[in-house]
Structures are given as structure tokens and as C-alpha cells.
């Protein structure tokens, strides 16, 4: 029997839909975006204003709150618009396969003369007060009022998005954010993003896979406790007496972001800001129960940082005090000790993997999601740490020092004395014995006994070489050699809104070769995910197998055959000779229409590192239908 404190901790760490996980400073939470499934069966309804929000963000370097005025999402029914303590993060949308999500965006921002005709080059950041919405990772219609990022919702305009979630959509962790070309980075870095969770209950059968949600149950049949951790780099700055940008906002000043002078290599480390969790900087997360298995849904909703997620047992009783970002490496050494807690990664980008991978670090690039089964082995405090990583693994192209993300406390429960991997394996086997149908229980249990395999829960079948019907090549580049500026390109061309770069057949199966000629970039394609076949370094070594060594960079080993929608395309230098070659395969299923692929360093996308893709019907003769009749 759990103690009263443990029962409270379990309830708090498994919040209801649309409520952010409680954090420090009064356990502040975003207002509820409630929806009545009884009144509107099968529908999830959100009505959100896009407007300027007056908020405050804790600055550990000064031990005070900075006032900011940033663009954000607000419940259209909210009567009090102030809400200084409300975090700058969107609500968590909670949905089930077969339901419809309707999101009405009401653009309440001021008019913007740079929107539309006369706005200058399409690849010059512009239209900062226009907006739209992207449901990142969802397998839904990209056209009309579906997941359409090619529409522009101008100031004063309302528009309703409608995401019809297929009944066979994989359960998992997804997210949403603005995606208007020219202003995406500025709006996302203001905190305009939120998690989108699809909860499934499909039982695997002898012939079809199911949702891992059916396995992750407590003995009483309830879902295990979970945490949704939206990781953001919220950008803002002030001006000094000479009108120059400064990250040292003084009392009385209001920080903001109104141009792209806060983006570029090294700008995030130079700002001295801290990555936030659910809009809170260095927050105290809701307590956990020692020995309890929790599902942590991590979403990298930032623009310009690489997060290498670690959990360390905290030692001593030192308070945070005034803590500058540059000093956190020393603070972690003194207060977080050497005891790194392993956890079991079960999904990447919302898609369940073929086996649980035990890790002490999980690298999240912008756009990534990682689902992990976490067990805090004993009562006490634990540090959540953004660990150091090689320069080649980092968006900022330099080896960052460690950063503190927050603290979580485990209350008394059932302490874990042995290896966490064995404890987790035994727990999963026990869960399978309780939850799985008789015709699949034996297979699921045998899989779990064999390296914690999850073959009954992988949402997409492997794509074999013999199934491939076409080839695609993609090369990222930043051209710094042409006179007149820097050009962000894919396959030698900056983005052109009027050009269709790839016309691909519905139900085709392509093998893509992905490279970068100039530093590294996270590749993201909308609608259909891809399976990683191999990741070959410049010396010709495949570093994607579990246990491979990529010169100490932990992000690629273990990705072979994993399904994702966003992937780091690595080049540790500025010359094609140092680039990696990545091979992935994908199916174009169910949906026709136009969407985009792009670099998920979003200021790169805003400046031209994007392409238009059209999926269309085949013509029956080996080509595609290109006309309208």
C-alpha cells in the first residue's frame, strides 16, 4: 500500500488532459482548454487567440523574474488577459485515434505591413504577425484545413484547422507549432508550441501490432504515471542605452523578440538563457514515487539548442541561489554527483521502437520526441541535466558545457536495489502477463525476455530493399561564397513557394539519401515518417547499430531500423568531405496533396532551407497525374 504522500505524487504526476504538469512557484499551470466529449462525441475542440502576452520568465543569473512581451496562445474564453504567472507554452492536446481535433486560431496580433505582396524576398524573415499551425508528426491530411502549412492567417483573421485522426493512427507523443514561412522561428522561440498526445488502446493480435499503451498499465488497470516535458528555448532580449541588443534586461525593462538578430550560431549560449520545461526555468517538477515506473514524454520544442538528457541523483542540500548558465557545469559537479540513472527509451518521434533501449543519455535535436520509461530508484532529489556533447552533435557547432534543466523529488516507495534494466524488464513482463490477450501474451512475454523486444507494438512494418520503387536525393547547404549574402539551400536552390520540388506517387516507396555539405541540420518531412536504414560516417562506417561507436557522439547508435520524422544530418565541418551519408525509406500512404520538408533549425527554414512536395495519384504508366482533369 502506498503512503498518502506517494498516492498524491502519483496523481499529480499523471495530470488530466490540457493541464500542464505542476511546477514550482505555486505549481503554476496553463489555463485548461476543456472540451466536453459528452456534448461533442469524437471531437476535441480548442479555441485559441494568437496575441501578445505579458508574462515573466525566471532568470537564474539575477535570481529575479524578467518581464517579457511575446507572441503566444491564449484561451479565447479567458476573461483575464494578464496572467503573468502563466507559462509560455501551449496546452497539451489529448486525443484518441478516430477522433477529430478542431483548433480555431484567432489572429489578434497587430497588422503587419510585411505580410503578403511587398514583403520582400520570400526567404527574408517577414510577416511576424501572420501565423498558421502544424501538427508535427501526425499522419493526417496536409491539404485544405487539414495539416496545411501553406496557408497564411493574417492579423484579424480566424481559421479553423481540422485534423481527422485515423482509427489506425499510432499512439504516441507529437506536438504542434506555427509554420508560416518567414516567421516560424520567431514565433516558436516565443513559446508558441505544445504537446499533442495520441492515446491508443489497440490490442496486438497474432497478425497485427497494437499500441504500447495497452501494456503500460498499473496492476489495477490504470495507466502508469506520466510526465509531458515540453523543452523550449524561449528567446527574448532588451536594448541598452545605445539601442543595441542586450540579454541583461534591467528591472523595468520588457524583453521581446521582434527581429532575427537573436538567431545564428552561438546566439543561444551567448544569451545565457536556460532551457525551460513546460514554460518554467529551473522548475521543481511534481514528485515521483521511488520505484514506480513512469512514462516521460520529452518534446524538443526549441529552435537552436541540442539537449542531451540525463537524470542524476542529487547530493547534498545546496540550493540553486543565483546561478548563471556558464556556472551550471560547476554546480552540477558539486551537487549532482556521478550517479547517472539509466532509463528505457521505448519510442522516438512518437513511434514505438522494436525494443527498449536502456540509455543514460538521449540526444534530442529540434523537433525530436523521446518516450522513456523512468524509474527513480530511491527517495531523494534528482537533477535533470542537459549533458555535455561533442561539437558535431550540437546545433551551435561547439561542445556545450552542461546545463541544469530542473529538479524532481522521489518520495518513499519501493526502493530498487538491483539494476534498473532488470527491474524494468521484470515489470514489463509482469504487465504483459496482466494485460495481454491469451493469443498474443506468450509472444509478447518471450519478446520482453529477449532483450526487451517490442515487436508486437511497432506501428509500421519494415521496408525491404525489394519493395523500393524510387530514389530521392537531398543535400543541405549554406552557400557563403556567392556575392550578396548567405543562401540557405536544398539541392542547390533556396525555397520557392511557387515551385514544386518533388512530385511523388501515392503508395510509392522511396529510398532517400540525405547529406549536408555545410555543417549539420535536422531534416523533417511532413505527413509520412521514414525508417532509418543506415548512417555512414565520412570514413565509410555504419554507426547506426546499437552499440556502435561514433567518436563518443551518442545520438546515432541504436537508430538502425527505427522510425522517425526528424533526423540530424551530420557534417562536423564546412566541407562535403566530412559529411555523413544517411539512407532512409518511406511510404506515401493514404493522403495526396502538397506539404513541405525542411531543416528544423527553424531560422534556416525561414531563410530558404525548405522544399515543396506534392503527393499525387499514379497515372498507371509509371508516372504521376500532373493535370487537374
Amino acid at each position: 500500500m502506498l503512503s498518502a504522500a506517494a498516492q498524491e505524487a502519483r496523481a499529480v504526476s499523471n495530470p488530466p488532459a490540457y493541464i500542464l504538469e505542476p511546477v514550482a512557484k505555486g505549481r503554476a499551470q496553463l489555463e485548461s482548454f476543456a472540451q466536453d466529449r459528452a456534448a461533442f462525441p469524437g471531437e476535441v475542440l480548442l479555441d485559441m487567440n494568437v496575441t501578445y502576452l505579458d508574462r515573466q520568465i525566471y532568470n537564474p543569473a539575477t535570481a529575479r523574474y524578467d518581464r517579457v512581451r511575446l507572441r503566444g496562445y491564449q484561451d479565447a474564453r479567458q476573461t483575464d488577459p494578464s496572467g503573468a504567472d502563466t507559462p509560455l507554452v501551449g496546452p497539451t492536446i489529448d486525443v484518441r485515434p478516430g477522433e477529430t481535433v478542431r483548433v480555431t486560431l484567432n489572429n489578434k496580433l497587430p497588422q503587419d505591413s510585411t505580410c503578403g505582396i511587398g514583403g520582400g524576398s520570400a526567404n527574408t524573415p517577414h510577416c511576424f504577425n501572420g501565423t498558421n499551425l502544424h501538427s508535427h508528426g501526425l499522419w493526417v491530411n496536409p491539404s485544405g484545413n487539414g495539416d496545411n502549412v501553406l496557408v497564411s492567417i493574417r492579423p484579424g483573421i480566424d481559421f479553423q484547422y481540422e485534423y481527422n485522426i485515423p482509427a489506425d493512427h499510432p499512439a504516441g507523443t507529437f506536438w504542434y507549432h506555427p509554420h508560416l514561412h518567414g516567421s516560424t522561428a520567431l514565433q516558436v522561440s516565443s513559446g508558441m508550441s505544445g504537446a499533442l498526445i495520441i492515446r491508443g488502446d489497440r490490442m496486438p493480435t497474432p497478425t497485427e501490432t497494437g499500441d504500447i499503451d495497452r501494456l503500460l498499465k498499473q496492476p489495477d488497470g490504470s495507466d502508469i504515471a506520466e510526465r509531458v516535458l515540453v523543452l523550449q528555448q524561449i528567446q527574448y532580449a532588451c536594448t541598452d542605452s545605445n539601442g543595441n541588443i542586450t540579454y541583461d534586461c534591467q528591472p523595468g525593462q520588457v524583453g521581446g523578440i521582434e527581429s532575427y538578430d537573436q538567431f545564428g550560431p552561438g546566439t543561444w549560449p551567448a544569451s545565457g538563457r536556460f532551457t525551460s520545461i513546460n514554460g518554467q526555468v529551473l522548475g521543481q517538477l511534481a514528485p515521483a514515487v521511488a520505484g514506480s515506473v513512469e512514462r516521460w514524454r520529452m518534446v524538443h520544442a526549441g529552435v537552436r539548442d541540442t539537449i542531451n538528457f540525463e537524470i542524476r541523483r542529487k547530493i547534498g542540500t545546496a540550493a540553486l541561489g543565483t546561478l548563471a548558465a556558464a556556472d551550471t557545469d560547476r554546480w552540477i559537479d558539486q551537487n549532482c554527483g556521478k550517479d547517472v540513472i539509466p532509463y528505457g527509451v521505448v519510442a522516438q518521434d512518437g513511434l514505438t521502437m522494436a525494443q527498449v533501449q536502456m540509455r543514460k543519455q538521449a540526444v534530442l535535436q529540434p523537433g525530436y520526441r523521446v518516450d522513456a520509461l523512468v524509474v527513480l530508484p530511491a527517495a531523494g532529489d534528482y537533477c535533470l541535466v542537459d549533458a555535455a556533447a561533442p561539437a558535431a552533435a550540437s546545433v551551435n557547432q561547439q561542445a556545450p558545457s552542461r546545463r541544469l534543466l530542473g529538479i524532481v523529488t522521489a518520495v518513499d516507495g519501493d526502493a530498487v536495489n538491483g539494476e534498473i534494466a532488470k527491474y524494468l524488464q521484470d515489470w514489463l513482463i509482469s504487465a504483459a502477463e496482466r494485460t495481454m490477450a491469451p493469443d498474443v501474451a506468450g509472444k509478447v512475454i518471450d519478446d520482453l525476455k529477449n532483450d526487451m523486444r517490442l515487436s508486437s507494438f511497432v506501428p509500421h512494418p519494415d521496408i525491404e530493399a525489394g519493395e523500393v520503387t524510387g530514389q530521392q536525393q537531398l543535400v543541405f547547404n549554406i552557400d557563403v561564397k556567392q556575392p550578396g549574402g548567405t543562401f540557405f539551400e536544398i539541392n542547390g536552390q533556396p525555397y520557392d513557394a511557387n515551385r514544386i520540388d518533388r512530385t511523388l506517387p501515392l503508395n510509392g516507396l522511396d529510398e532517400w539519401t540525405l547529406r549536408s555539405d555545410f555543417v549539420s541540420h535536422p531534416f523533417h518531412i511532413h505527413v509520412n515518417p521514414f525508417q532509418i536504414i543506415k548512417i555512414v560516417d565520412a570514413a565509410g562506417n555504419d554507426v547506426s547499430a546499437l552499440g556502435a561507436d561514433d567518436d563518443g557522439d551518442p545520438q546515432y547508435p541504436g537508430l538502425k531500423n527505427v522510425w522517425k520524422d526528424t533526423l540530424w544530418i551530420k557534417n562536423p565541418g564546412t566541407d562535403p568531405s566530412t559529411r555523413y551519408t544517411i539512407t532512409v525509406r518511406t511510404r506515401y500512404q493514404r493522403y495526396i496533396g502538397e506539404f513541405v520538408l525542411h531543416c528544423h533549425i527553424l531560422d534556416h527554414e525561414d531563410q530558404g532551407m525548405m522544399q515543396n512536395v506534392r503527393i499525387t495519384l499514379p497515372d498507371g504508366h509509371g508516372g504521376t497525374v500532373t493535370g487537374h482533369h
Side-chain angles (χ1 to χ4, degrees):
M1 176 70 71
L2 293 175
S3 67
Q7 292 178 21
E8 178 186 6
R10 174 168 290 169
V12 167
S13 60
N14 195 12
Y18 311 123
I19 304 297
L20 289 180
E21 185 173 45
V23 291
K25 307 302 290 184
R27 290 182 175 178
Q29 64 186 29
L30 191 63
E31 58 269 17
S32 172
F33 281 67
Q35 55 91 27
D36 187 350
R37 277 191 169 93
F40 302 97
E43 301 215 344
V44 176
L45 309 176
L46 288 90
D47 192 2
M48 298 195 296
N49 291 337
V50 178
T51 186
Y52 275 106
L53 300 176
D54 295 310
R55 295 290 186 260
Q56 57 183 13
I57 299 177
Y58 183 62
N59 186 344
T62 60
R64 65 171 183 258
Y65 282 85
D66 288 337
R67 293 173 57 202
V68 296
R69 183 172 173 80
L70 296 167
R71 298 165 181 82
Y73 296 124
Q74 181 186 58
D75 189 340
R77 303 161 304 166
Q78 185 180 2
T79 57
D80 178 11
S82 57
D85 292 330
T86 303
L88 283 161
V89 64
T92 295
I93 301 175
D94 198 284
V95 65
R96 303 180 185 100
E99 292 188 325
T100 295
V101 181
R102 300 186 193 276
V103 182
T104 301
L105 289 184
N106 314 291
N107 191 340
K108 303 295 186 182
L109 292 168
Q111 291 295 325
D112 187 338
S113 62
T114 69
C115 291
I117 298 174
S121 167
N123 296 320
T124 298
H126 65 288
C127 200
F128 299 159
N129 288 349
T131 195
N132 61 20
L133 197 67
H134 172 43
S135 57
H136 185 124
L138 288 194
W139 181 39
V140 294
N141 180 13
S143 303
N145 64 342
D147 183 32
N148 189 343
V149 301
L150 301 176
V151 300
S152 178
I153 306 172
R154 305 291 172 80
I157 302 301
D158 303 340
F159 182 77
Q160 186 179 82
Y161 278 91
E162 179 180 296
Y163 306 140
N164 296 302
I165 312 298
D168 56 349
H169 195 292
T173 303
F174 305 93
W175 67 298
Y176 63 91
H177 61 84
H179 207 300
L180 183 63
H181 182 62
S183 63
T184 304
L186 181 138
Q187 292 188 6
V188 172
S189 67
S190 298
M192 291 179 65
S193 59
L196 196 161
I197 308 302
I198 294 186
R199 302 185 184 280
D201 60 1
R202 292 177 301 166
M203 177 69 72
T205 72
T207 58
E208 295 183 351
T209 60
D211 295 316
I212 197 173
D213 300 35
R214 289 297 297 257
L215 176 65
L216 302 180
K217 301 287 186 181
Q218 299 284 2
D220 64 2
S222 63
D223 294 337
I224 63 172
E226 70 173 43
R227 299 171 188 270
V228 178
L229 306 180
V230 179
L231 304 163
Q232 298 169 295
Q233 292 88 50
I234 296 178
Q235 309 255 127
Y236 64 94
C238 295
T239 54
D240 60 20
S241 58
N242 297 317
N244 299 317
I245 186 173
T246 176
Y247 295 113
D248 185 16
C249 293
Q250 297 300 307
Q253 288 189 301
V254 178
I257 180 168
E258 295 295 338
S259 71
Y260 273 52
D261 54 6
Q262 294 184 50
F263 299 112
T267 49
W268 176 253
S271 74
R273 308 278 184 238
F274 283 69
T275 291
S276 59
I277 300 179
N278 297 342
Q280 297 288 324
V281 172
L282 293 187
Q284 175 77 43
L285 274 68
V289 178
S292 177
V293 177
E294 294 189 346
R295 181 176 186 168
W296 289 26
R297 301 178 183 264
M298 293 175 267
V299 179
H300 192 319
V303 173
R304 270 208 162 266
D305 196 24
T306 299
I307 297 169
N308 194 1
F309 194 86
E310 271 187 354
I311 305 172
R312 288 177 174 261
R313 194 190 300 265
K314 189 173 182 292
I315 57 175
T317 58
L320 291 174
T322 303
L323 186 61
D327 296 331
T328 56
D329 190 73
R330 172 191 52 79
W331 194 94
I332 291 167
D333 261 344
Q334 294 175 352
N335 298 287
C336 297
K338 306 295 183 185
D339 190 2
V340 181
I341 308 301
Y343 47 83
V345 175
V346 296
Q348 298 264 11
D349 291 354
L351 303 174
T352 302
M353 301 191 304
Q355 73 177 103
V356 181
Q357 294 187 10
M358 296 303 300
R359 294 181 176 270
K360 291 186 176 181
Q361 296 178 339
V363 176
L364 289 94
Q365 304 289 1
Y368 279 28
R369 287 89 65 216
V370 169
D371 284 41
L373 300 181
V374 176
V375 180
L376 302 182
D381 290 337
Y382 293 81
C383 302
L384 307 184
V385 175
D386 181 1
S394 172
V395 169
N396 291 297
Q397 302 155 39
Q398 58 187 6
S401 61
R402 292 175 295 176
R403 296 287 188 264
L404 188 66
L405 299 171
I407 302 291
V408 61
T409 300
V411 300
D412 285 331
D414 298 321
V416 179
N417 296 316
E419 290 188 2
I420 288 179
K422 182 63 168 61
Y423 181 89
L424 186 57
Q425 183 179 38
D426 291 344
W427 186 94
L428 288 168
I429 292 170
S430 177
E433 292 170 345
R434 297 191 309 267
T435 61
M436 292 293 102
D439 57 350
V440 294
K443 178 181 184 302
V444 172
I445 292 168
D446 287 345
D447 271 355
L448 291 169
K449 290 179 178 178
N450 181 17
D451 296 325
M452 287 192 281
R453 298 189 181 277
L454 299 170
S455 64
S456 294
F457 305 98
V458 177
H460 300 291
D462 291 345
I463 301 178
E464 303 299 336
E467 300 178 74
V468 173
T469 59
Q471 302 286 331
Q472 297 293 318
Q473 307 286 327
L474 181 142
V475 180
F476 287 124
N477 187 42
I478 303 176
D479 188 345
V480 296
K481 298 178 181 178
Q482 294 188 45
T486 300
F487 295 88
F488 294 82
E489 301 172 339
I490 296 178
N491 290 1
Q493 292 182 306
Y495 178 66
D496 183 344
N498 299 311
R499 183 184 68 232
I500 301 298
D501 297 279
R502 303 173 194 267
T503 299
L504 307 171
L506 184 68
N507 296 321
L509 291 88
D510 276 353
E511 182 170 278
W512 290 63
T513 302
L514 309 173
R515 301 185 183 94
S516 175
D517 281 352
F518 192 99
V519 300
S520 305
H521 306 271
F523 165 80
H524 173 52
I525 188 168
H526 293 200
V527 185
N528 296 293
F530 50 80
Q531 185 177 30
I532 299 166
I533 304 303
K534 58 184 177 180
I535 302 175
V536 178
D537 66 15
N541 305 305
D542 185 353
V543 295
S544 65
L546 190 63
D549 180 19
D550 185 23
D551 290 330
D553 183 350
Q555 66 180 314
Y556 283 152
L559 289 185
K560 182 176 285 293
N561 296 325
V562 170
W563 287 84
K564 285 176 63 63
D565 59 56
T566 310
L567 182 62
W568 186 248
I569 311 303
K570 185 173 172 180
N571 184 341
T574 58
D575 187 276
S577 65
T578 58
R579 68 187 182 182
Y580 285 49
T581 300
I582 299 178
T583 303
V584 304
R585 295 174 186 154
T586 188
R587 303 178 175 94
Y588 314 119
Q589 294 180 287
R590 187 169 293 174
Y591 300 110
I592 62 173
E594 295 176 13
F595 53 88
V596 297
L597 59 82
H598 58 92
C599 170
H600 221 282
I601 301 174
L602 294 175
D603 52 296
H604 289 182
E605 179 264 298
D606 283 328
Q607 296 176 88
M609 200 170 275
M610 185 162 77
Q611 286 188 335
N612 288 320
V613 179
R614 175 184 288 159
I615 304 298
T616 188
L617 292 174
D619 63 7
H621 302 285
T624 57
V625 176
T626 57
H628 297 288
H629 303 286

